Amino acid sequence: MRHDELLDANCAISRAAAILGERWVISILRAAFFRARTFEEYQRTTGVARNILTDRLNRLVTAGVLERRVYEQHANRALHEYRLTEAGLDLYPVIATLMTWGNKHGGFVHGPPIELVHQTCGQVTEPVLTCSGCGEPLDPRQVRPRPGPGAATASPRMTAPPETPA
């Protein structure tokens, strides 16, 4: 399967990977959450080559993750900024969790390079994935996938494995 074919897969993770799995996309999203807006800010904070950055920003706009807005109009051209959409903001837990994982497993001798501070209470915080039903923290060993309403049209390799007795 080619990378762009993942968008047609009957699997939420595959479709997300089709959008987020391109090289530099996570760095661009990190920059967006750290308040980059203009092309120059994204280029400076990520170090991505201009042609690649243009491509990735356009793909994220097409996917509905970023919105491109005119912020200054000149006689010859308009200057644009790129802002997170609602779909983009929904990626915050993903980016925050990746940062937490990187802080823990990235080999930083003197501690994490960036910490998240909750503005309401002023405390350093880390994301916690919890059950929407009972509120308990989720442990991957205590969660099992099961076919959802859209699974009837899934290809065999995209469906969840059969349940095994505990």
Side-chain angles (χ1 to χ4, degrees):
M1 178 179 280
R2 292 182 27 216
H3 185 79
D4 59 344
E5 292 173 340
L6 293 173
L7 279 173
D8 297 325
N10 193 25
C11 173
I13 294 171
S14 293
R15 288 186 182 196
I19 296 165
L20 305 176
E22 293 279 349
R23 188 172 183 196
W24 297 110
V25 166
I26 297 298
S27 294
I28 292 166
L29 290 172
R30 178 200 63 206
F33 280 108
F34 289 174
R35 308 293 192 269
R37 297 290 180 257
T38 66
F39 183 92
E40 289 72 24
E41 289 171 340
Y42 282 101
Q43 207 282 317
R44 185 176 58 253
T45 58
T46 63
V48 180
R50 296 179 73 82
N51 62 324
I52 305 266
L53 180 58
T54 298
D55 176 71
R56 296 310 185 271
L57 288 172
N58 287 335
R59 286 176 186 246
L60 289 168
V61 168
T62 300
V65 174
L66 293 176
E67 177 183 46
R68 190 168 96 161
R69 301 179 188 168
V70 174
Y71 73 90
E72 198 172 304
Q73 188 71 46
H74 293 278
N76 302 12
R77 67 181 187 140
L79 299 178
H80 295 92
E81 65 181 6
Y82 298 86
R83 293 195 171 242
L84 293 160
T85 62
E86 184 177 339
L89 290 168
D90 284 346
L91 287 167
Y92 183 73
V94 175
I95 299 300
T97 301
L98 280 172
M99 188 182 89
T100 299
W101 186 92
N103 284 346
K104 182 176 180 180
H105 301 287
F108 298 107
V109 177
H110 302 293
I114 293 179
E115 296 177 319
L116 300 176
V117 177
H118 186 226
Q119 290 182 347
T120 302
C121 68
Q123 297 295 310
V124 173
T125 188
E126 291 185 355
V128 176
L129 190 60
T130 61
C131 174
S132 61
C134 69
E136 284 189 17
L138 291 180
D139 179 319
R141 295 166 292 235
Q142 299 297 318
V143 178
R144 65 175 167 75
R146 75 172 188 203
T153 60
S155 68
R157 65 184 178 154
M158 291 296 174
T159 58
E163 293 184 34
T164 55

